[in-house]
Amino acid sequence: MLTKRIIPCLDIRDRRVTKGVRFQNNVALGDPVEMAARYCAEGCDELVFYDITASAEGRPIDIAMVAEVARAVRIPFAVGGGIATLGDMSRVLLAGAEKISVNTLAVRNPDIISQGARAFGSQCIVLGMDPLAVEDRRAFPSGYAVTVKGFRERTDLDAVAWARRAEDLGAGEIVVNSVDADGTRAGYELRLTGLVAAAVGIPVVASGGAGRPEHLAEAFTAAHADAAIIAGMIHTGEYSIPRIKAALSAAGIPVRMTW
Amino acid sequence: MIVIVDYGAGNLTSVRLAFEAAGVPATVAADARAVREAARVVLPGVGAAGAAMRNLNALGLVDALRASVARGAPFLGICLGAQVVFERSEEDGGVNGLGFLPGTVRLFRPASRWDKVPQMGWNAVVPRRAPGGAAHPLFAGIAEGSEFYFVHSYYPAPSAEACVLAETEYAGVRFASAVGRDNLFATQFHPEKSGRAGLQLIANFAKWNGKS
């Protein structure tokens, strides 16, 4: 049986892992390569790295760091932030990453999804989206608007419509990172995650808001997520990956228990 | 020398790094002569079967791979590299493969809306056991039912039962997640990204004598 994936997210700023609430008040937590190796040894199923300042500062992603991570871990990982062209994607993949996450870039230029999928395969192209709950149901039938640039800018894209479009363009997976839940540790945005999971045939990853193992369990059952991203709850040391997995397994959720 | 075949199908770096982590030198090559003369051949690959076969043909690698397999050099196919060894794939409107193994490659057609395609993630791989009880030597030292990392929309469907070396269940199908015959072994999963179990399989391949 396919197991549900637990994916630690490492936000990188100046080559340090940081964590903030809604992209604000970031504090440094440690070295990305060391943290990746540790989470891998503790049984995480995949990793994701976001170079959170690369696109804002208009500089390319840190390829040397990607290459170091690839040497340090034997599990798949995705990289996002600071990817602007097919050439950037190619460099990240050649450095040893499995997947590229596109977010703002895909909103500005949706064709990058199909170009990336054609060049490297759909499984490489992850659409990351940062939806925000909105009142205006006429403009946003799902009740969620896609934001870009680290939540700073709202677009006119409906979150569910955008997910379907990305699937049509050839995305292999969709990460739904709720603006409202991000950093709160009060639980994932289950309604939104469930809407996207029901709308597309590709895997959907819940992101934003995980604070306790029950939150992951809800994302996998109520919202039908295929994977869940965690950050603060493990970065602070409050929970370990084995403890989260043990809780999920006890709740009857299929997770990888030996590594 | 172990040659990892570079035919423009996806990420060779992970495969090279996995051999490096196993302490075995491996080189990446795209020329037919290197493939023909290699002691062992690894055919990786992600992406689509049609483009993969076109590239193998354009690079003149089809005959080199055939010669290597016929000579008895141990062969490891990974993911798309495990699919193109079959006679035919349903992908891209139907593609003829290398034909090293009998059978076809089929698309997952899940009955449940929650079984997503591609299958993406860790799933249990259960080796078939010979009447004497032994699994294929490439599974030596790997716990029964260990999970490996999969990313695929199509799966191998060998027409000869003897070619099924391990099985995995997804989307209502029990499919052949490892296949092979004689000196050929191929996995639908990615051993190079499957943690300790995957590294063990890579190390097993590096010292395998090609007898199943």
Side-chain angles (χ1 to χ4, degrees), chain A residues 1 3 5 45-46 71 74-76 93-94 97-99 123 173 197 200-202 256 259, chain B residues 11 13-14 17 20 46 113-114 116-117 119-120 122-123 147 149 151 170 192-196:
Chain A
M1 184 180 227
T3 57
R5 286 170 285 152
D45 301 307
E46 199 171 315
R71 276 180 197 283
R74 295 267 70 79
I75 61 169
L93 294 175
L94 282 174
E98 265 57 52
K99 303 179 186 182
Q123 79 294 333
E173 183 168 59
V200 298
I202 54 179
R256 186 171 69 111
W259 48 84
Chain B
N11 191 357
T13 311
S14 308
L17 290 176
E20 198 177 298
V46 291
R113 71 196 294 195
W114 306 117
K116 301 303 183 82
V117 177
Q119 164 170 234
M120 195 179 281
W122 300 76
N123 201 339
E147 285 112 354
Y149 191 80
V151 183
Y170 187 66
E192 78 278 14
K193 281 286 156 177
S194 293
R196 210 184 306 172

mmCIF file of all heavy atoms in Angstrom, chain A residues 1 3 5 45-46 71 74-76 93-94 97-99 123 173 197 200-202 256 259, chain B residues 11 13-14 17 20 46 113-114 116-117 119-120 122-123 147 149 151 170 192-196:
data_model
loop_
_atom_site.group_PDB
_atom_site.id
_atom_site.type_symbol
_atom_site.label_atom_id
_atom_site.label_comp_id
_atom_site.label_asym_id
_atom_site.label_seq_id
_atom_site.Cartn_x
_atom_site.Cartn_y
_atom_site.Cartn_z
ATOM 1 N N MET A 1 0.841 -1.195 0.000
ATOM 2 C CA MET A 1 0.000 0.000 0.000
ATOM 3 C C MET A 1 0.881 1.252 0.000
ATOM 4 O O MET A 1 1.885 1.300 0.708
ATOM 5 C CB MET A 1 -0.860 -0.033 1.265
ATOM 6 C CG MET A 1 -1.837 1.103 1.348
ATOM 7 S SD MET A 1 -2.806 0.974 2.867
ATOM 8 C CE MET A 1 -4.448 1.221 2.250
ATOM 9 N N THR A 3 2.265 4.575 1.073
ATOM 10 C CA THR A 3 2.227 5.244 2.369
ATOM 11 C C THR A 3 2.068 6.751 2.185
ATOM 12 O O THR A 3 2.378 7.299 1.127
ATOM 13 C CB THR A 3 3.506 4.948 3.162
ATOM 14 O OG1 THR A 3 4.636 5.359 2.388
ATOM 15 C CG2 THR A 3 3.637 3.468 3.470
ATOM 16 N N ARG A 5 3.191 10.471 2.776
ATOM 17 C CA ARG A 5 4.531 11.064 2.942
ATOM 18 C C ARG A 5 4.542 12.211 3.955
ATOM 19 O O ARG A 5 3.668 13.072 3.911
ATOM 20 C CB ARG A 5 5.024 11.614 1.600
ATOM 21 C CG ARG A 5 5.464 10.576 0.616
ATOM 22 C CD ARG A 5 5.705 11.204 -0.751
ATOM 23 N NE ARG A 5 4.455 11.521 -1.432
ATOM 24 C CZ ARG A 5 4.307 12.483 -2.317
ATOM 25 N NH1 ARG A 5 5.319 13.258 -2.634
ATOM 26 N NH2 ARG A 5 3.141 12.684 -2.894
ATOM 27 N N ASP A 45 10.180 11.223 4.654
ATOM 28 C CA ASP A 45 9.996 10.504 3.394
ATOM 29 C C ASP A 45 10.465 11.296 2.182
ATOM 30 O O ASP A 45 10.644 10.745 1.098
ATOM 31 C CB ASP A 45 8.510 10.168 3.222
ATOM 32 C CG ASP A 45 8.014 9.315 4.375
ATOM 33 O OD1 ASP A 45 8.649 8.278 4.642
ATOM 34 O OD2 ASP A 45 7.022 9.701 5.029
ATOM 35 N N GLU A 46 10.658 12.576 2.372
ATOM 36 C CA GLU A 46 11.011 13.473 1.291
ATOM 37 C C GLU A 46 11.343 14.795 1.962
ATOM 38 O O GLU A 46 11.007 14.988 3.132
ATOM 39 C CB GLU A 46 9.769 13.608 0.378
ATOM 40 C CG GLU A 46 10.024 14.112 -1.008
ATOM 41 C CD GLU A 46 8.754 13.992 -1.884
ATOM 42 O OE1 GLU A 46 8.080 12.935 -1.862
ATOM 43 O OE2 GLU A 46 8.453 14.964 -2.573
ATOM 44 N N ARG A 71 24.276 14.911 -1.908
ATOM 45 C CA ARG A 71 25.279 13.972 -1.405
ATOM 46 C C ARG A 71 24.924 13.458 -0.023
ATOM 47 O O ARG A 71 25.315 12.369 0.369
ATOM 48 C CB ARG A 71 26.651 14.661 -1.324
ATOM 49 C CG ARG A 71 27.374 14.646 -2.619
ATOM 50 C CD ARG A 71 28.733 15.319 -2.546
ATOM 51 N NE ARG A 71 29.159 15.609 -3.891
ATOM 52 C CZ ARG A 71 29.655 14.700 -4.725
ATOM 53 N NH1 ARG A 71 29.830 13.465 -4.320
ATOM 54 N NH2 ARG A 71 29.989 15.032 -5.953
ATOM 55 N N ARG A 74 19.616 10.210 0.846
ATOM 56 C CA ARG A 74 19.272 9.213 -0.174
ATOM 57 C C ARG A 74 17.764 9.126 -0.334
ATOM 58 O O ARG A 74 17.210 8.051 -0.527
ATOM 59 C CB ARG A 74 19.821 7.826 0.205
ATOM 60 C CG ARG A 74 21.327 7.698 0.241
ATOM 61 C CD ARG A 74 21.897 7.206 -1.093
ATOM 62 N NE ARG A 74 21.781 8.200 -2.128
ATOM 63 C CZ ARG A 74 22.621 9.251 -2.250
ATOM 64 N NH1 ARG A 74 23.621 9.421 -1.452
ATOM 65 N NH2 ARG A 74 22.429 10.126 -3.209
ATOM 66 N N ILE A 75 17.095 10.267 -0.189
ATOM 67 C CA ILE A 75 15.652 10.302 -0.414
ATOM 68 C C ILE A 75 15.372 11.473 -1.359
ATOM 69 O O ILE A 75 16.230 12.323 -1.565
ATOM 70 C CB ILE A 75 14.857 10.465 0.909
ATOM 71 C CG1 ILE A 75 15.228 11.776 1.610
ATOM 72 C CG2 ILE A 75 15.099 9.270 1.840
ATOM 73 C CD1 ILE A 75 14.304 12.124 2.756
ATOM 74 N N PRO A 76 14.178 11.510 -1.944
ATOM 75 C CA PRO A 76 13.887 12.575 -2.904
ATOM 76 C C PRO A 76 13.745 13.934 -2.221
ATOM 77 O O PRO A 76 13.319 14.001 -1.064
ATOM 78 C CB PRO A 76 12.540 12.160 -3.495
ATOM 79 C CG PRO A 76 12.306 10.766 -3.047
ATOM 80 C CD PRO A 76 13.062 10.577 -1.786
ATOM 81 N N LEU A 93 18.108 20.187 -11.182
ATOM 82 C CA LEU A 93 17.966 18.731 -11.344
ATOM 83 C C LEU A 93 19.331 18.064 -11.492
ATOM 84 O O LEU A 93 19.577 17.007 -10.910
ATOM 85 C CB LEU A 93 17.092 18.415 -12.564
ATOM 86 C CG LEU A 93 15.630 18.854 -12.450
ATOM 87 C CD1 LEU A 93 14.896 18.611 -13.764
ATOM 88 C CD2 LEU A 93 14.920 18.102 -11.321
ATOM 89 N N LEU A 94 20.208 18.688 -12.258
ATOM 90 C CA LEU A 94 21.543 18.110 -12.447
ATOM 91 C C LEU A 94 22.348 18.109 -11.153
ATOM 92 O O LEU A 94 23.239 17.289 -10.971
ATOM 93 C CB LEU A 94 22.304 18.854 -13.542
ATOM 94 C CG LEU A 94 21.894 18.482 -14.968
ATOM 95 C CD1 LEU A 94 22.602 19.374 -15.975
ATOM 96 C CD2 LEU A 94 22.178 17.015 -15.264
ATOM 97 N N ALA A 97 18.548 17.280 -7.304
ATOM 98 C CA ALA A 97 17.171 17.360 -6.795
ATOM 99 C C ALA A 97 16.261 16.537 -7.700
ATOM 100 O O ALA A 97 16.572 16.312 -8.869
ATOM 101 C CB ALA A 97 16.701 18.811 -6.758
ATOM 102 N N GLU A 98 15.135 16.052 -7.153
ATOM 103 C CA GLU A 98 14.166 15.302 -7.963
ATOM 104 C C GLU A 98 13.113 16.207 -8.559
ATOM 105 O O GLU A 98 12.544 15.910 -9.591
ATOM 106 C CB GLU A 98 13.383 14.299 -7.091
ATOM 107 C CG GLU A 98 13.967 12.931 -7.087
ATOM 108 C CD GLU A 98 15.376 12.987 -6.621
ATOM 109 O OE1 GLU A 98 15.603 13.559 -5.554
ATOM 110 O OE2 GLU A 98 16.249 12.507 -7.342
ATOM 111 N N LYS A 99 12.771 17.268 -7.811
ATOM 112 C CA LYS A 99 11.611 18.062 -8.192
ATOM 113 C C LYS A 99 11.929 19.545 -8.079
ATOM 114 O O LYS A 99 12.742 19.950 -7.254
ATOM 115 C CB LYS A 99 10.437 17.769 -7.251
ATOM 116 C CG LYS A 99 10.028 16.322 -7.177
ATOM 117 C CD LYS A 99 8.873 16.181 -6.189
ATOM 118 C CE LYS A 99 8.520 14.724 -5.967
ATOM 119 N NZ LYS A 99 7.385 14.573 -5.051
ATOM 120 N N GLN A 123 6.704 14.516 -13.435
ATOM 121 C CA GLN A 123 6.992 14.183 -12.030
ATOM 122 C C GLN A 123 7.969 15.170 -11.407
ATOM 123 O O GLN A 123 8.069 15.255 -10.189
ATOM 124 C CB GLN A 123 7.503 12.748 -11.907
ATOM 125 C CG GLN A 123 8.962 12.514 -12.275
ATOM 126 C CD GLN A 123 9.268 12.740 -13.744
ATOM 127 O OE1 GLN A 123 8.397 12.585 -14.601
ATOM 128 N NE2 GLN A 123 10.489 13.115 -14.050
ATOM 129 N N GLU A 173 2.388 17.401 -9.358
ATOM 130 C CA GLU A 173 1.974 17.413 -7.952
ATOM 131 C C GLU A 173 1.633 18.853 -7.577
ATOM 132 O O GLU A 173 2.170 19.785 -8.168
ATOM 133 C CB GLU A 173 3.143 16.912 -7.089
ATOM 134 C CG GLU A 173 2.852 16.801 -5.619
ATOM 135 C CD GLU A 173 3.943 16.021 -4.887
ATOM 136 O OE1 GLU A 173 5.111 16.450 -4.926
ATOM 137 O OE2 GLU A 173 3.617 14.990 -4.309
ATOM 138 N N ALA A 197 -7.749 18.434 -3.660
ATOM 139 C CA ALA A 197 -7.525 16.992 -3.834
ATOM 140 C C ALA A 197 -8.641 16.355 -4.660
ATOM 141 O O ALA A 197 -8.403 15.437 -5.446
ATOM 142 C CB ALA A 197 -7.406 16.310 -2.470
ATOM 143 N N VAL A 200 -8.316 17.466 -8.724
ATOM 144 C CA VAL A 200 -7.242 17.031 -9.632
ATOM 145 C C VAL A 200 -6.943 15.534 -9.457
ATOM 146 O O VAL A 200 -7.239 14.950 -8.415
ATOM 147 C CB VAL A 200 -5.930 17.838 -9.406
ATOM 148 C CG1 VAL A 200 -6.149 19.316 -9.693
ATOM 149 C CG2 VAL A 200 -5.397 17.633 -7.994
ATOM 150 N N GLY A 201 -6.339 14.954 -10.490
ATOM 151 C CA GLY A 201 -5.989 13.529 -10.454
ATOM 152 C C GLY A 201 -4.566 13.268 -10.034
ATOM 153 O O GLY A 201 -4.139 12.120 -9.938
ATOM 154 N N ILE A 202 -3.795 14.339 -9.800
ATOM 155 C CA ILE A 202 -2.392 14.205 -9.387
ATOM 156 C C ILE A 202 -2.292 14.354 -7.866
ATOM 157 O O ILE A 202 -3.222 14.860 -7.235
ATOM 158 C CB ILE A 202 -1.497 15.254 -10.109
ATOM 159 C CG1 ILE A 202 -2.041 16.669 -9.904
ATOM 160 C CG2 ILE A 202 -1.369 14.925 -11.591
ATOM 161 C CD1 ILE A 202 -1.204 17.769 -10.559
ATOM 162 N N ARG A 256 5.515 4.951 6.414
ATOM 163 C CA ARG A 256 6.734 4.140 6.360
ATOM 164 C C ARG A 256 7.339 4.116 7.764
ATOM 165 O O ARG A 256 7.683 5.166 8.303
ATOM 166 C CB ARG A 256 7.703 4.788 5.359
ATOM 167 C CG ARG A 256 8.953 4.018 5.063
ATOM 168 C CD ARG A 256 9.697 4.667 3.905
ATOM 169 N NE ARG A 256 10.258 5.957 4.281
ATOM 170 C CZ ARG A 256 11.563 6.207 4.414
ATOM 171 N NH1 ARG A 256 12.441 5.259 4.172
ATOM 172 N NH2 ARG A 256 11.986 7.400 4.752
ATOM 173 N N TRP A 259 13.348 2.527 8.258
ATOM 174 C CA TRP A 259 14.188 3.263 7.323
ATOM 175 C C TRP A 259 15.635 3.069 7.681
ATOM 176 O O TRP A 259 15.965 2.479 8.689
ATOM 177 C CB TRP A 259 13.831 4.756 7.315
ATOM 178 C CG TRP A 259 13.723 5.348 8.656
ATOM 179 C CD1 TRP A 259 14.740 5.823 9.436
ATOM 180 C CD2 TRP A 259 12.518 5.542 9.418
ATOM 181 N NE1 TRP A 259 14.261 6.299 10.610
ATOM 182 C CE2 TRP A 259 12.909 6.139 10.634
ATOM 183 C CE3 TRP A 259 11.166 5.270 9.173
ATOM 184 C CZ2 TRP A 259 11.979 6.475 11.622
ATOM 185 C CZ3 TRP A 259 10.255 5.598 10.161
ATOM 186 C CH2 TRP A 259 10.644 6.192 11.370
ATOM 187 N N ASN B 11 17.325 12.414 -14.521
ATOM 188 C CA ASN B 11 18.341 12.746 -13.549
ATOM 189 C C ASN B 11 19.338 11.621 -13.302
ATOM 190 O O ASN B 11 19.046 10.654 -12.616
ATOM 191 C CB ASN B 11 17.628 13.100 -12.243
ATOM 192 C CG ASN B 11 18.584 13.703 -11.264
ATOM 193 O OD1 ASN B 11 19.780 13.810 -11.541
ATOM 194 N ND2 ASN B 11 18.073 14.090 -10.125
ATOM 195 N N THR B 13 22.284 12.241 -11.913
ATOM 196 C CA THR B 13 23.102 12.610 -10.755
ATOM 197 C C THR B 13 22.776 11.742 -9.552
ATOM 198 O O THR B 13 23.672 11.234 -8.884
ATOM 199 C CB THR B 13 22.880 14.093 -10.413
ATOM 200 O OG1 THR B 13 23.020 14.844 -11.614
ATOM 201 C CG2 THR B 13 23.887 14.578 -9.396
ATOM 202 N N SER B 14 21.488 11.543 -9.284
ATOM 203 C CA SER B 14 21.096 10.752 -8.118
ATOM 204 C C SER B 14 21.644 9.337 -8.218
ATOM 205 O O SER B 14 22.076 8.760 -7.229
ATOM 206 C CB SER B 14 19.577 10.640 -8.011
ATOM 207 O OG SER B 14 18.989 11.881 -8.078
ATOM 208 N N LEU B 17 25.401 9.401 -7.625
ATOM 209 C CA LEU B 17 25.692 9.640 -6.203
ATOM 210 C C LEU B 17 25.383 8.410 -5.353
ATOM 211 O O LEU B 17 26.056 8.157 -4.351
ATOM 212 C CB LEU B 17 24.905 10.854 -5.691
ATOM 213 C CG LEU B 17 25.359 12.208 -6.241
ATOM 214 C CD1 LEU B 17 24.436 13.318 -5.738
ATOM 215 C CD2 LEU B 17 26.807 12.511 -5.853
ATOM 216 N N GLU B 20 28.206 6.106 -5.710
ATOM 217 C CA GLU B 20 29.298 6.702 -4.937
ATOM 218 C C GLU B 20 29.112 6.412 -3.444
ATOM 219 O O GLU B 20 30.058 6.016 -2.753
ATOM 220 C CB GLU B 20 29.280 8.208 -5.200
ATOM 221 C CG GLU B 20 30.544 8.948 -4.851
ATOM 222 C CD GLU B 20 30.398 10.432 -5.228
ATOM 223 O OE1 GLU B 20 30.214 10.716 -6.433
ATOM 224 O OE2 GLU B 20 30.445 11.278 -4.325
ATOM 225 N N VAL B 46 13.719 9.005 -16.315
ATOM 226 C CA VAL B 46 12.390 9.498 -15.988
ATOM 227 C C VAL B 46 11.892 10.208 -17.227
ATOM 228 O O VAL B 46 12.679 10.539 -18.105
ATOM 229 C CB VAL B 46 12.398 10.475 -14.785
ATOM 230 C CG1 VAL B 46 12.742 9.750 -13.504
ATOM 231 C CG2 VAL B 46 13.376 11.617 -15.022
ATOM 232 N N ARG B 113 -11.172 7.828 -7.089
ATOM 233 C CA ARG B 113 -10.657 9.172 -7.409
ATOM 234 C C ARG B 113 -9.493 9.566 -6.511
ATOM 235 O O ARG B 113 -8.761 10.500 -6.802
ATOM 236 C CB ARG B 113 -11.767 10.207 -7.288
ATOM 237 C CG ARG B 113 -12.165 10.446 -5.826
ATOM 238 C CD ARG B 113 -13.478 11.142 -5.670
ATOM 239 N NE ARG B 113 -13.450 12.500 -6.180
ATOM 240 C CZ ARG B 113 -14.384 13.410 -5.892
ATOM 241 N NH1 ARG B 113 -15.416 13.072 -5.118
ATOM 242 N NH2 ARG B 113 -14.321 14.620 -6.374
ATOM 243 N N TRP B 114 -9.328 8.860 -5.390
ATOM 244 C CA TRP B 114 -8.266 9.226 -4.453
ATOM 245 C C TRP B 114 -6.954 8.510 -4.746
ATOM 246 O O TRP B 114 -5.942 8.794 -4.113
ATOM 247 C CB TRP B 114 -8.700 8.977 -3.008
ATOM 248 C CG TRP B 114 -9.990 9.642 -2.673
ATOM 249 C CD1 TRP B 114 -11.150 9.034 -2.306
ATOM 250 C CD2 TRP B 114 -10.272 11.049 -2.701
ATOM 251 N NE1 TRP B 114 -12.130 9.971 -2.108
ATOM 252 C CE2 TRP B 114 -11.624 11.205 -2.338
ATOM 253 C CE3 TRP B 114 -9.517 12.188 -3.000
ATOM 254 C CZ2 TRP B 114 -12.238 12.461 -2.266
ATOM 255 C CZ3 TRP B 114 -10.121 13.432 -2.933
ATOM 256 C CH2 TRP B 114 -11.463 13.562 -2.566
ATOM 257 N N LYS B 116 -4.183 8.581 -6.902
ATOM 258 C CA LYS B 116 -3.686 9.554 -7.856
ATOM 259 C C LYS B 116 -2.681 8.936 -8.828
ATOM 260 O O LYS B 116 -2.000 7.972 -8.498
ATOM 261 C CB LYS B 116 -3.040 10.727 -7.108
ATOM 262 C CG LYS B 116 -3.998 11.447 -6.153
ATOM 263 C CD LYS B 116 -5.223 11.961 -6.878
ATOM 264 C CE LYS B 116 -6.173 12.746 -6.004
ATOM 265 N NZ LYS B 116 -5.830 14.129 -5.797
ATOM 266 N N VAL B 117 -2.616 9.513 -10.011
ATOM 267 C CA VAL B 117 -1.633 9.112 -11.016
ATOM 268 C C VAL B 117 -0.834 10.367 -11.385
ATOM 269 O O VAL B 117 -1.439 11.357 -11.786
ATOM 270 C CB VAL B 117 -2.334 8.536 -12.260
ATOM 271 C CG1 VAL B 117 -1.305 8.185 -13.328
ATOM 272 C CG2 VAL B 117 -3.144 7.298 -11.882
ATOM 273 N N GLN B 119 1.556 7.435 -9.313
ATOM 274 C CA GLN B 119 1.827 6.950 -7.962
ATOM 275 C C GLN B 119 3.116 7.660 -7.538
ATOM 276 O O GLN B 119 4.126 7.579 -8.240
ATOM 277 C CB GLN B 119 2.051 5.433 -7.927
ATOM 278 C CG GLN B 119 2.723 5.041 -6.592
ATOM 279 C CD GLN B 119 2.813 3.567 -6.267
ATOM 280 O OE1 GLN B 119 2.371 3.156 -5.201
ATOM 281 N NE2 GLN B 119 3.374 2.774 -7.160
ATOM 282 N N MET B 120 3.068 8.349 -6.422
ATOM 283 C CA MET B 120 4.245 9.084 -5.978
ATOM 284 C C MET B 120 4.449 8.826 -4.496
ATOM 285 O O MET B 120 3.610 9.178 -3.685
ATOM 286 C CB MET B 120 4.032 10.582 -6.233
ATOM 287 C CG MET B 120 5.303 11.396 -6.152
ATOM 288 S SD MET B 120 5.017 13.141 -6.471
ATOM 289 C CE MET B 120 4.907 13.215 -8.244
ATOM 290 N N TRP B 122 6.391 6.162 -1.197
ATOM 291 C CA TRP B 122 7.014 4.913 -0.745
ATOM 292 C C TRP B 122 5.965 3.817 -0.659
ATOM 293 O O TRP B 122 4.952 3.971 0.009
ATOM 294 C CB TRP B 122 7.652 5.119 0.618
ATOM 295 C CG TRP B 122 8.726 6.159 0.658
ATOM 296 C CD1 TRP B 122 8.553 7.515 0.646
ATOM 297 C CD2 TRP B 122 10.141 5.943 0.706
ATOM 298 N NE1 TRP B 122 9.775 8.155 0.687
ATOM 299 C CE2 TRP B 122 10.764 7.208 0.737
ATOM 300 C CE3 TRP B 122 10.944 4.797 0.744
ATOM 301 C CZ2 TRP B 122 12.151 7.368 0.798
ATOM 302 C CZ3 TRP B 122 12.323 4.953 0.814
ATOM 303 C CH2 TRP B 122 12.913 6.224 0.831
ATOM 304 N N ASN B 123 6.250 2.692 -1.309
ATOM 305 C CA ASN B 123 5.319 1.573 -1.289
ATOM 306 C C ASN B 123 6.091 0.273 -1.064
ATOM 307 O O ASN B 123 7.274 0.172 -1.417
ATOM 308 C CB ASN B 123 4.521 1.526 -2.601
ATOM 309 C CG ASN B 123 3.223 0.743 -2.473
ATOM 310 O OD1 ASN B 123 3.064 -0.080 -1.570
ATOM 311 N ND2 ASN B 123 2.298 0.998 -3.388
ATOM 312 N N GLU B 147 9.822 -0.681 2.041
ATOM 313 C CA GLU B 147 9.259 0.299 1.108
ATOM 314 C C GLU B 147 10.357 0.942 0.262
ATOM 315 O O GLU B 147 11.450 1.214 0.758
ATOM 316 C CB GLU B 147 8.508 1.403 1.861
ATOM 317 C CG GLU B 147 7.160 0.944 2.381
ATOM 318 C CD GLU B 147 7.115 0.871 3.883
ATOM 319 O OE1 GLU B 147 8.167 1.067 4.523
ATOM 320 O OE2 GLU B 147 6.019 0.605 4.415
ATOM 321 N N TYR B 149 10.910 3.995 -3.086
ATOM 322 C CA TYR B 149 10.295 5.218 -3.617
ATOM 323 C C TYR B 149 9.892 5.041 -5.091
ATOM 324 O O TYR B 149 10.722 4.684 -5.929
ATOM 325 C CB TYR B 149 11.248 6.403 -3.478
ATOM 326 C CG TYR B 149 10.574 7.723 -3.757
ATOM 327 C CD1 TYR B 149 9.798 8.336 -2.780
ATOM 328 C CD2 TYR B 149 10.689 8.346 -4.988
ATOM 329 C CE1 TYR B 149 9.162 9.537 -3.030
ATOM 330 C CE2 TYR B 149 10.054 9.557 -5.243
ATOM 331 C CZ TYR B 149 9.289 10.140 -4.264
ATOM 332 O OH TYR B 149 8.653 11.328 -4.501
ATOM 333 N N VAL B 151 7.793 6.785 -8.520
ATOM 334 C CA VAL B 151 7.127 7.899 -9.207
ATOM 335 C C VAL B 151 6.837 7.423 -10.619
ATOM 336 O O VAL B 151 7.726 7.358 -11.459
ATOM 337 C CB VAL B 151 8.022 9.146 -9.335
ATOM 338 C CG1 VAL B 151 7.234 10.269 -9.990
ATOM 339 C CG2 VAL B 151 8.535 9.612 -8.005
ATOM 340 N N TYR B 170 -0.933 -1.073 -6.136
ATOM 341 C CA TYR B 170 -1.369 0.329 -6.219
ATOM 342 C C TYR B 170 -2.569 0.447 -7.159
ATOM 343 O O TYR B 170 -2.622 -0.228 -8.193
ATOM 344 C CB TYR B 170 -0.248 1.247 -6.720
ATOM 345 C CG TYR B 170 -0.650 2.707 -6.637
ATOM 346 C CD1 TYR B 170 -0.857 3.309 -5.404
ATOM 347 C CD2 TYR B 170 -0.901 3.454 -7.781
ATOM 348 C CE1 TYR B 170 -1.269 4.623 -5.301
ATOM 349 C CE2 TYR B 170 -1.319 4.782 -7.688
ATOM 350 C CZ TYR B 170 -1.503 5.357 -6.441
ATOM 351 O OH TYR B 170 -1.928 6.657 -6.339
ATOM 352 N N GLU B 192 17.951 4.360 -6.054
ATOM 353 C CA GLU B 192 18.913 5.443 -5.742
ATOM 354 C C GLU B 192 18.324 6.493 -4.816
ATOM 355 O O GLU B 192 19.044 7.327 -4.280
ATOM 356 C CB GLU B 192 19.412 6.080 -7.048
ATOM 357 C CG GLU B 192 18.473 7.071 -7.728
ATOM 358 C CD GLU B 192 17.388 6.428 -8.574
ATOM 359 O OE1 GLU B 192 17.183 5.197 -8.444
ATOM 360 O OE2 GLU B 192 16.727 7.137 -9.354
ATOM 361 N N LYS B 193 16.990 6.449 -4.626
ATOM 362 C CA LYS B 193 16.342 7.431 -3.744
ATOM 363 C C LYS B 193 15.556 6.737 -2.653
ATOM 364 O O LYS B 193 14.644 7.321 -2.070
ATOM 365 C CB LYS B 193 15.408 8.311 -4.590
ATOM 366 C CG LYS B 193 16.152 9.381 -5.346
ATOM 367 C CD LYS B 193 16.601 10.487 -4.402
ATOM 368 C CE LYS B 193 17.783 11.236 -4.932
ATOM 369 N NZ LYS B 193 18.174 12.345 -4.059
ATOM 370 N N SER B 194 15.871 5.482 -2.390
ATOM 371 C CA SER B 194 15.076 4.692 -1.446
ATOM 372 C C SER B 194 15.843 4.373 -0.175
ATOM 373 O O SER B 194 15.754 3.257 0.355
ATOM 374 C CB SER B 194 14.576 3.417 -2.119
ATOM 375 O OG SER B 194 13.638 3.720 -3.131
ATOM 376 N N GLY B 195 16.565 5.341 0.320
ATOM 377 C CA GLY B 195 17.205 5.199 1.627
ATOM 378 C C GLY B 195 18.125 3.995 1.711
ATOM 379 O O GLY B 195 18.793 3.634 0.736
ATOM 380 N N ARG B 196 18.141 3.363 2.896
ATOM 381 C CA ARG B 196 19.080 2.286 3.157
ATOM 382 C C ARG B 196 18.781 1.049 2.315
ATOM 383 O O ARG B 196 19.698 0.403 1.812
ATOM 384 C CB ARG B 196 19.029 1.944 4.645
ATOM 385 C CG ARG B 196 20.358 1.429 5.150
ATOM 386 C CD ARG B 196 20.293 0.998 6.586
ATOM 387 N NE ARG B 196 19.760 2.046 7.461
ATOM 388 C CZ ARG B 196 19.471 1.860 8.738
ATOM 389 N NH1 ARG B 196 19.633 0.681 9.297
ATOM 390 N NH2 ARG B 196 19.001 2.853 9.464
#
